[in-house]
Amino acid sequence: MAKKFMFVNRKAPYGSIYALEALEVVLITAAFEQEVSLAFLDDGVYQLKKGMMPKGIEMKNFGPSYRALPDYDIDKFYVERESMEARGLTPEDLLVEVEVLSAQELGQLMEAQDVILSF
Amino acid sequence: MLHIINKSPFDRPTLDTVLRVAQGGAALLIEDAVVAATRGCIAANKVVELAKKMPVYVLGPDLEARGLADRVIEGVQVVGYDGFVNLVAEHRNCQSWL
Amino acid sequence: MATIEVAGKTIEVDEEGYLTNLSDWDEEVAAELAKKEGIDMTENHWEVVNFLREYYEEYQVAPPIRVLTKAIAKKLGPEKGNSDYLYELFPYGPAKQACKIAGLPKPTGCV
């Protein structure tokens, strides 16, 4: 019986290893055919920013990898509205289709999960 | 003194500390701190405040990595690694606000 | 550090035989990697290897078998996007062997 897994991403990409590690675990979890969703709040919203070019800081560009996730049957991307707006970002700035939720809606969705993985 | 800031303004209150404590010199935003110098970010006003007290620089490769190079606010200067080195060399000392 | 020899060049591989540097890859290297896997490269093998290279170029991930079959079915049709066909080409695991020959890292989530 599939469980509901939610990855909660709260860190900006590249300044720490959290975003990349989360993505690796997401890809691994996909192999177990669970019901996986990804939530982005606080600086985690920056993980989805279009147009990343980390060549200059000699890091792997993992932005495009989020767009492969639908092939892994992962297509639920939730973004908290308050976090997104505080950063001057809109859904058009993001590299995948997202569902924008209020803080309260996201909190309720978190309550409904079987497993939460925090990054 | 060169003030180097490397953490996101949403993660640490470093910009507030620098605003309060720094007596001059210059400030350089690197790594996750570069997000503070982007349009629409609610922390941008703190960078504007800081730029009134001293020149503020932002590291270009870190902006590019995060897809933010085209949304830098006015009043700050984007520098590369060579500019980073020059800033360190030009100042007598350096505080990294980790 | 393990290495392989191709046309007089020494190329680094990891302990499982995957290329350390993606940029070392060319068709000669692929042929040598295939030989080590006991695979005689045909046009059908190359098609899968090239597909993987394009997939990696676009998404920066090496897909495991389930994802690979689905993505191939989408691009090349269901007669190629199924595990029977792919296991026939790459008997020791299509994602693993084909990724290795394509010079990609081992697929994440591949056990």
Side-chain angles (χ1 to χ4, degrees), chain A residues 34-85:
Chain A
Q34 304 294 322
E35 211 180 298
V36 176
S37 65
L38 276 63
F40 298 85
L41 58 158
D42 295 333
D43 279 345
V45 181
Y46 286 124
Q47 293 177 23
L48 296 180
K49 177 70 181 66
K50 274 181 192 161
M52 297 178 192
M53 286 188 298
K55 208 175 157 66
I57 57 170
E58 295 183 14
M59 304 262 251
K60 178 185 153 130
N61 186 0
F62 52 84
S65 304
Y66 293 105
R67 295 195 302 107
L69 292 180
D71 285 347
Y72 289 74
D73 295 321
I74 298 169
D75 48 17
K76 293 198 205 80
F77 297 89
Y78 302 109
V79 169
E80 189 221 356
R81 177 175 289 112
E82 288 82 344
S83 298
M84 183 179 73
E85 288 177 352

Side-chain angles (χ1 to χ4, degrees), chain B residues 35-75:
Chain B
V35 305
T38 59
R39 280 195 303 278
C41 177
I42 52 167
N45 64 328
K46 292 179 184 170
V47 178
V48 172
E49 272 311 296
L50 191 59
K52 288 178 187 161
K53 297 174 77 171
M54 63 186 79
V56 176
Y57 302 88
V58 189
L59 193 63
D62 277 318
L63 285 165
E64 284 162 18
R66 292 162 182 77
L68 298 170
D70 58 350
R71 33 200 315 146
V72 182
I73 57 168
E74 285 186 27

